[in-house]
Amino acid sequence: MDTIIQGKAYVLGKNIDTDQIIPAEHLVYSLSDPEEVKLYGKYALSGVPLEQAGLPEGKIPFVEEGQFTSPYSFIIGGPNFGCGSSREHAPFALKVAGAKAIIAESYARIFYRNCVDGGFVIPYETTQQLNKTVMTGDELSLDMEKNTLTNLTQNITYELRPLGDVVNIVQAGGIFEYARKNDLMASSSEA
């Protein structure tokens, strides 16, 4: 299991809701057909107003036109990330697009649980307003053992709130896979 993730930052503001993460008109695609699943990645974060997409400059799409995945591994957000509906499609779309972790000041609880329970993306919390200091395109390194995020571009390290078993659940592929791997429930072949 990798405990260090490196990649580029994509910075957003506060109150990013699930309709901005995956607009309702894109909820028609199959979650099991590989060709349709790619479309969730293509439209991830496409509902964010262009001026607020890729801060501080804005007008930077998370996924480039004609692509299905994003060059950004990290999403940096403000407070109340993932507010809105309870749809699991939102963290699923971010995973399909290639996001590995979200670092935000706070989350809508149902969005946080969907990230973890589905094994989609690692939801770290920070006590700092990282979306005011990290810039879209900055190279970041997340150390999950030390619970730190290092901005390699700016040479600054930030402390993050520890995740506990959350990281193990996400890396196992979700709550049910975690339970099976830890003998907390019967495997699908035993059922």
Side-chain angles (χ1 to χ4, degrees):
M1 144 175 53
D2 288 336
T3 60
I4 295 181
I5 300 172
Q6 290 190 309
K8 290 183 182 181
Y10 189 78
V11 182
L12 297 166
K14 61 183 178 180
N15 300 317
I16 299 299
D17 65 47
T18 54
D19 287 319
Q20 292 173 316
I21 296 170
I22 186 71
E25 65 262 23
H26 301 297
L27 299 178
V28 298
Y29 311 121
S30 167
L31 295 172
S32 57
D33 178 327
E35 287 305 307
E36 289 193 22
V37 164
K38 291 191 307 188
L39 296 172
Y40 284 100
K42 178 178 183 173
Y43 295 111
L45 293 174
S46 64
V48 175
L50 197 54
E51 310 77 48
Q52 299 169 25
L55 298 175
E57 304 297 323
K59 300 183 181 174
I60 301 171
F62 183 62
V63 178
E64 292 291 331
E65 185 70 32
Q67 300 298 309
F68 296 98
T69 58
S70 174
Y72 305 101
S73 300
F74 296 99
I75 298 168
I76 307 296
N80 203 25
F81 194 93
C83 58
S85 77
S86 62
R87 65 177 69 133
E88 292 179 344
H89 297 78
F92 177 77
L94 296 175
K95 177 183 179 176
V96 172
K100 304 288 185 230
I102 304 167
I103 297 100
E105 292 170 62
S106 66
Y107 294 89
R109 288 294 109 189
I110 190 72
F111 177 84
Y112 185 91
R113 288 307 319 170
N114 284 339
C115 287
V116 175
D117 291 351
F120 300 126
V121 63
I122 299 168
Y124 261 103
E125 287 184 321
T126 177
T127 59
Q128 301 166 54
Q129 291 184 324
L130 297 184
N131 64 342
K132 303 289 185 202
T133 57
V134 176
M135 297 189 299
T136 294
D138 282 358
E139 288 288 335
L140 305 178
S141 179
L142 173 65
D143 187 325
M144 291 185 287
E145 283 186 3
K146 295 180 181 177
N147 296 304
T148 59
L149 180 72
T150 301
N151 186 325
L152 301 171
T153 303
Q154 298 180 28
N155 197 28
I156 301 170
T157 298
Y158 305 97
E159 298 290 323
L160 302 174
R161 289 191 174 147
L163 289 173
D165 279 338
V166 166
V167 70
N168 298 326
I169 295 168
V170 174
Q171 289 183 330
I175 192 75
F176 291 113
E177 286 303 312
Y178 176 80
R180 285 184 191 102
K181 289 177 182 177
N182 289 281
D183 295 323
L184 301 173
M185 65 184 282
S187 68
S188 55
S189 63
E190 295 173 13

